[in-house]
Amino acid sequence: MGTTAPPASLTPAEARSVFRAGRAVPTAGWADGHTQANLVAVPADWAYDVLLFAQRNPKPCPVLDVTEPGGTSTVLAPGADLRTDLPRYRVYRDGRLTEEPTEVTGLWRDDLVAFLIGCSFTFEAALGAAGVPLRHLEQACNVPMFRTSRPCRPAGRLHGPLVVSMRPIPSQLVDTAHRLTALMPGVHGAPVHTGDPGELGIEDLDTPDFGDPVRMLPGDVPVFWACGVTPQAALMASAPPFAITHAPGHMLITDARDADYRIA
Amino acid sequence: MGTTAPPASLTPAEARSVFRAGRAVPTAGWADGHTQANLVAVPADWAYDVLLFAQRNPKPCPVLDVTEPGGTSTVLAPGADLRTDLPRYRVYRDGRLTEEPTEVTGLWRDDLVAFLIGCSFTFEAALGAAGVPLRHLEQACNVPMFRTSRPCRPAGRLHGPLVVSMRPIPSQLVDTAHRLTALMPGVHGAPVHTGDPGELGIEDLDTPDFGDPVRMLPGDVPVFWACGVTPQAALMASAPPFAITHAPGHMLITDARDADYRIA
């Protein structure tokens, strides 16, 4: 790493420099308190569809910033280079995942527009601080994510299912979790569903579509939040000719603070 | 009016039918509890700029819905016709206000995209219900609005100043007003400034740029919210070839409920 500091204590700029140098690890726990963001970059010809899809589906797609065509910087992280400063990327061609490189300098195009989208890491920090246990962190796995039977509201050529993340929450803390995340609409907001997974068309909580299965403890209730993987699912379903995203869990660490996204 | 019911008791559909029939009065106080929306319609060629301007300036431009090009309906008000169901419109050509008709059927174009934008009427209802006095209503005038010296973040060809509305709030209720409106980010959210108007570049509270001056009472503090007139100011500053908006105060009454826009 070129540093012996614990990742949580790094500044966002330090963390980005580590990733720019080639380290390719998930960003959970890095640069504590700073907002991490999903990346979706598409050709300018598709940018209106993506922005409108986000407007029409704000819970899964809370847009934090949009770049100029061909731009590689964001107001959320001055000095960052979007082509190199995430630890790992995914490249989609005609809706198919073709590569997972650690930098995309050679693939960036003059017409790419990048969308930075809020991430549940932000509200997990708030939940943890309020004493709401996060089972996937306790069990050292990724949060489980599921495609649902609920379609997103389409926008132009973009369509796809709502994807949700699931966190088991002790029943007496479900209200707290709901109230806290409702105050953070910029990072997915309140849960979209609590309880029976069947109502979302989810057949088996033990076989997530993305991430890892997580063990429920006695008294836990499954709580479902809209998930930032939704736009990636829409890219796969809608097949723009070219797109670049972050690799799941390998986010952009911004200079914004999680606290900035709590509205009250 | 074809009805003797008080305007506040009408359903949104009834209110829209009254306006469709030609009545051209401000919509304040009509169809109580239902969300009213600002209208901005531009050629599709300008739609990305408007949508991005709104994303970059969410406090003055909270987008509630966007129509398909040429469409005249919105999910917010099934059965409504956007060309006839507002009481009065404004037509801009090359950034200049040219007409204020009561319907725009003959002016609507196949490439027009309509944006429906949240309105402070929604949060005023919440303030009133919480016992926060609204001086402009007590004084039976329009809320005063001011261009500020703060530029909005530009988007493509769109640029312009932040426009704010000002409400005098008794000092002991400023916190309440802040807290309540923070919970309604879809309708401008928390105030952008409290106190000295000079910090916003406003020289004289008695000479608003839009609306009417309002008298402050002893103990009142001026509180400033981002205002839905901001996109109209951007249209005037940026001069797209053609645009249609609502006339100030003459909004679309939707079927949505004000309570839907309170997030917690």
Side-chain angles (χ1 to χ4, degrees):
Chain A
M1 287 179 60
T3 170
T4 54
S9 71
L10 296 182
T11 67
E14 287 167 347
R16 294 192 298 264
S17 74
V18 172
F19 302 134
R20 192 182 312 144
R23 194 164 160 86
V25 295
T27 49
W30 285 64
D32 215 17
H34 290 91
T35 301
Q36 300 198 16
N38 299 283
L39 169 72
V40 172
V42 295
D45 170 49
W46 280 73
Y48 182 70
D49 290 3
V50 172
L51 190 54
L52 187 59
F53 187 83
Q55 191 280 324
R56 289 180 174 172
N57 301 282
K59 291 192 90 163
C61 311
V63 177
L64 306 185
D65 193 33
V66 183
T67 65
E68 302 302 322
T72 59
S73 63
T74 167
V75 292
L76 299 173
D81 186 324
L82 295 177
R83 302 167 298 182
T84 56
D85 288 7
L86 285 72
R88 193 176 288 283
Y89 298 80
R90 284 188 162 180
V91 179
Y92 292 88
R93 299 174 195 273
D94 298 319
R96 280 190 319 110
L97 173 62
T98 56
E99 299 138 76
E100 288 200 284
T102 59
E103 58 95 6
V104 290
T105 307
L107 295 168
W108 207 260
R109 298 170 18 167
D110 284 350
D111 66 345
L112 280 191
V113 175
F115 295 80
L116 295 166
I117 294 174
C119 163
S120 59
F121 288 1
T122 298
F123 75 66
E124 288 188 348
L127 291 175
V132 177
L134 294 161
R135 303 300 185 208
H136 64 288
L137 299 184
E138 291 172 359
Q139 297 168 28
C141 64
N142 286 319
V143 73
M145 292 162 272
F146 303 87
R147 292 173 197 271
T148 70
S149 55
R150 290 193 193 170
C152 286
R153 195 177 156 203
R157 294 158 288 181
L158 269 190
H159 57 89
L162 172 67
V163 178
V164 295
S165 58
M166 189 282 286
R167 291 167 187 77
I169 305 284
S171 56
Q172 75 278 11
L173 290 173
V174 168
D175 282 353
T176 301
H178 194 288
R179 187 166 37 79
L180 274 179
T181 54
L183 295 177
M184 309 184 90
V187 289
H188 302 307
V192 294
H193 181 63
T194 299
D196 179 13
E199 289 188 27
L200 293 174
I202 298 169
E203 294 186 2
D204 181 2
L205 287 181
D206 289 332
T207 56
D209 295 303
F210 311 91
D212 301 312
V214 68
R215 206 170 61 253
M216 311 255 299
L217 268 59
D220 282 354
V221 175
V223 181
F224 300 88
W225 277 268
C227 177
V229 170
T230 303
Q232 289 198 35
L235 290 179
M236 287 186 267
S238 313
F242 187 73
I244 294 175
T245 73
H246 69 288
H250 297 65
M251 325 293 287
L252 174 70
I253 299 181
T254 77
D255 289 7
R257 290 185 172 273
D258 288 340
D260 298 340
Y261 291 101
R262 179 157 174 177
I263 64 166
Chain B
M1 287 177 58
T3 171
T4 55
S9 72
L10 297 182
T11 67
E14 287 168 345
R16 293 191 299 263
S17 73
V18 171
F19 302 135
R20 192 182 312 145
R23 193 163 161 89
V25 295
T27 49
W30 285 64
D32 215 17
H34 291 91
T35 301
Q36 301 198 15
N38 300 281
L39 170 72
V40 172
V42 295
D45 170 48
W46 280 72
Y48 182 70
D49 290 4
V50 172
L51 190 54
L52 187 60
F53 188 83
Q55 191 280 326
R56 290 181 173 172
N57 301 283
K59 293 193 89 164
C61 310
V63 176
L64 306 185
D65 193 33
V66 183
T67 64
E68 301 302 322
T72 59
S73 63
T74 167
V75 294
L76 299 173
D81 187 324
L82 295 176
R83 301 168 298 182
T84 56
D85 288 8
L86 285 73
R88 192 176 288 284
Y89 298 80
R90 284 189 161 178
V91 180
Y92 291 88
R93 299 173 196 274
D94 298 318
R96 281 191 318 110
L97 172 63
T98 56
E99 300 137 74
E100 287 200 286
T102 60
E103 58 94 9
V104 290
T105 308
L107 295 169
W108 207 259
R109 298 169 20 165
D110 284 351
D111 67 344
L112 280 191
V113 175
F115 295 80
L116 295 166
I117 294 174
C119 163
S120 59
F121 289 1
T122 297
F123 75 66
E124 288 188 349
L127 291 175
V132 177
L134 294 161
R135 302 302 184 205
H136 63 289
L137 300 183
E138 292 172 359
Q139 297 168 29
C141 65
N142 287 318
V143 73
M145 292 161 272
F146 303 87
R147 293 172 198 271
T148 70
S149 55
R150 289 194 194 170
C152 286
R153 193 176 157 204
R157 293 158 290 182
L158 268 190
H159 56 89
L162 172 68
V163 178
V164 295
S165 59
M166 189 283 286
R167 291 167 188 76
I169 306 284
S171 57
Q172 75 278 13
L173 290 172
V174 167
D175 282 353
T176 301
H178 194 287
R179 187 166 36 80
L180 275 178
T181 54
L183 295 177
M184 310 185 89
V187 291
H188 303 308
V192 293
H193 181 62
T194 298
D196 179 13
E199 288 188 27
L200 293 174
I202 298 169
E203 293 187 1
D204 182 2
L205 287 180
D206 290 332
T207 56
D209 294 304
F210 310 91
D212 301 313
V214 67
R215 207 171 60 253
M216 311 256 298
L217 268 58
D220 283 355
V221 175
V223 180
F224 300 88
W225 277 268
C227 176
V229 170
T230 302
Q232 290 198 34
L235 291 178
M236 287 187 269
S238 312
F242 186 73
I244 295 175
T245 73
H246 69 288
H250 298 65
M251 325 293 286
L252 174 70
I253 299 181
T254 77
D255 289 6
R257 290 186 172 274
D258 287 341
D260 298 341
Y261 291 101
R262 178 156 173 178
I263 63 165

